[in-house]
Amino acid sequence: EVQLVESGGGMVQPGGSLRLSCAASGFIFSTSDMVWVRQAPGQGPEWVSGIDHDGGRTYYTNSVKGRFTISRDNAKNTLYLQMNSLNPGDTALYYCARRRSDRTVWSDTEGYDYWGQGTQVTVSS
C-alpha cells in the first residue's frame, strides 16, 4: 500500500519557520521525483517545490524562492520542506506528492500520482 504521511505543520507567527516532513512507503522512493503542493482555502492546488529522485535538482515557485528549501533522505524514505520567513500568504494545507515519470512539467498538479493527506500550516500574528 502506497503511503505518504506529512508532518510538521502548525501555527507560526510571521517571520517564523517550520520544517515539514513526508514519510513515504509502498513504492520505490529513491527513484521517484517528489513535490510539495499547497492549497489555501477556496483556491486550487499550487505547486510549491520539486526535487528529482537523487536530490540533484530542485525547483521552486517564484513566491517561495530564497525562503523554502526542499530536500530528501533516500535512506529514510523521507522528503522535507524547510520553510523560513513565513508570511500569511503561505497559510495552506501542504501536501507531498510523487511526480509521474512521464510528465515533463513539474508544476502540473495533474501529473502527480500519489498524494499524502496534508499538514496544515497557518501563519498568523
Side-chain angles (χ1 to χ4, degrees):
E1 178 190 6
V2 171
Q3 282 195 316
L4 291 169
V5 180
E6 301 94 338
S7 61
M11 180 175 288
V12 64
Q13 292 187 340
S17 298
L18 285 172
R19 188 193 196 203
L20 306 184
S21 298
C22 170
S25 61
F27 65 99
I28 304 175
F29 182 75
S30 62
T31 62
S32 299
D33 295 340
M34 300 295 295
V35 298
W36 286 99
V37 179
R38 66 187 179 186
Q39 187 164 15
Q43 298 185 21
E46 176 194 22
W47 170 77
V48 174
S49 182
I51 187 168
D52 70 352
H53 68 283
D54 64 1
R57 294 178 298 170
T58 58
Y59 306 91
Y60 302 92
T61 192
N62 284 341
S63 63
V64 308
K65 281 181 182 176
R67 300 189 298 121
F68 289 11
T69 302
I70 190 172
S71 62
R72 65 191 297 159
D73 185 337
N74 285 348
K76 296 182 178 179
N77 284 357
T78 303
L79 177 72
Y80 303 100
L81 186 68
Q82 177 67 44
M83 305 186 297
N84 299 328
S85 301
L86 286 161
N87 60 63
D90 297 315
T91 295
L93 190 59
Y94 282 71
Y95 300 90
C96 64
R98 188 180 80 158
R99 175 173 169 262
R100 288 175 48 178
S101 59
D102 62 342
R103 297 301 177 107
T104 58
V105 178
W106 282 83
S107 59
D108 179 5
T109 58
E110 301 207 356
Y112 313 143
D113 52 4
Y114 303 147
W115 292 72
Q117 293 300 305
T119 185
Q120 179 67 39
V121 171
T122 302
V123 185
S124 175
S125 55

